[in-house]
Amino acid sequence: MNTQASAIILAGGRGTRISHLRPGLPKPMIPVGGRPFLEWVIRHFASQGVGQFVISLGHLAEVAESYFGERPADELSIKTVREPEPLGTGGGMLFAQQAVPDADPLILANGDSLVLAPLAGAWQLLDDPTVDGVVLGLDVEDAARYGGLEVDSSGRLLRFREKQPGRGLINAGVYFFRRRLLASFPDKRPLSMELDVFPELLGNGAKLMTHRCCAPFLDIGTPESLAEAEPFLARHWPRPNASVAIE
């Protein structure tokens, strides 16, 4: 495991489906279990050896800026950056990575979803210098709500698939990128990871592997899933190592 790892957490979306439930709060800052949901995301990655974070902000950025400005100091380095305009997931990463110019590789994750997966297997894949990046894939019983991943027998990512019902391997929204890949991102804004960046990288022959695992997973993008957040933590926290990699 890379104990000096750096993560970019995207926390700038508007969260239109649940904004009426907590007006004045950006989605990742909604309290769950006495803390902003984003704090649980950070704590999980910290438990997996990540020590440096950049939080990319947009909608209601001042709420998170105030929280992290007053957050008690600990062993973590947490910086916030505010996007000048909506940049999309890929554009947000390119903007935020400037705050950690020496970090390589970089983790990218969403601040409104919590994936309690062990990351050691992803770091092991990056021991191979020919691997350009790793996508975290979750094996789930019903993939109807999520975009899927198509991989070959070695676990190399071939393409993203549309949402399909039934058991499948879904995109967990956690990515590991070697810094050399950033130069290959398309030059457009807003820039989507799934719609723009990955098709470009795969089309150019980038070697992207999948770390396939089973793990507790929650996104808080709907009223129903937000209501499940506290029961989810009660069931699964602090048990990040309860997730298991699939050989």
Side-chain angles (χ1 to χ4, degrees):
M1 183 181 299
N2 186 339
T3 57
Q4 300 302 314
S6 298
I8 294 170
I9 310 295
L10 301 177
R14 298 190 66 86
T16 53
R17 290 177 293 178
I18 62 171
S19 58
H20 64 287
L21 296 175
R22 296 302 298 262
L25 284 180
K27 183 167 49 170
M29 295 302 294
I30 292 175
V32 176
R35 298 183 174 92
F37 186 80
L38 181 56
E39 182 73 39
W40 295 106
V41 176
I42 290 170
R43 288 180 178 218
H44 170 65
F45 279 104
S47 78
Q48 296 295 304
V50 179
Q52 184 169 244
F53 295 85
V54 181
I55 313 299
S56 179
L57 304 173
H59 179 59
L60 297 173
E62 63 276 7
V63 176
E65 289 169 344
S66 176
Y67 172 80
F68 287 107
E70 299 174 0
R71 185 180 185 273
D74 55 19
E75 71 279 7
L76 303 178
S77 168
I78 303 176
K79 303 176 182 179
T80 62
V81 296
R82 187 188 292 209
E83 296 181 11
E85 58 186 347
L87 299 175
T89 49
M93 179 182 185
L94 289 178
F95 181 74
Q97 60 84 25
Q98 299 174 82
V100 282
D102 298 324
D104 190 11
L106 288 161
I107 301 171
L108 180 67
N110 297 310
D112 59 357
S113 62
L114 185 57
V115 188
L116 297 179
L119 303 183
W123 292 122
Q124 290 170 4
L125 289 169
L126 288 167
D127 287 341
D128 179 350
T130 69
V131 171
D132 295 304
V134 177
V135 176
L136 184 66
L138 293 181
D139 194 58
V140 298
E141 292 292 337
D142 186 4
R145 280 188 58 198
Y146 309 100
L149 303 175
E150 185 174 336
V151 303
D152 68 13
S153 59
S154 71
R156 184 167 180 169
L157 179 64
L158 300 177
R159 62 185 60 86
F160 285 81
R161 293 191 290 103
E162 296 296 323
K163 299 175 182 178
Q164 296 179 356
R167 189 174 186 88
L169 185 67
I170 67 167
N171 174 20
V174 178
Y175 313 118
F176 299 71
F177 290 104
R178 295 198 195 276
R179 185 168 284 275
R180 66 191 184 219
L181 274 187
L182 302 187
S184 300
F185 280 32
D187 185 17
K188 61 174 288 191
R189 301 293 184 275
L191 181 65
S192 164
M193 291 299 304
E194 292 82 3
L195 300 179
D196 302 314
V197 174
F198 280 109
E200 181 85 4
L201 296 178
L202 292 169
N204 290 336
K207 186 175 183 179
L208 302 173
M209 303 299 293
T210 56
H211 173 47
R212 183 171 183 161
C213 61
C214 290
F217 169 70
L218 176 75
D219 75 76
I220 57 169
T222 68
E224 295 78 14
S225 60
L226 178 60
E228 175 61 18
E230 294 211 13
F232 175 90
L233 288 173
R235 288 195 305 271
H236 300 298
W237 191 279
R239 295 171 54 215
N241 293 325
S243 352
V244 294
I246 297 175
E247 299 298 335

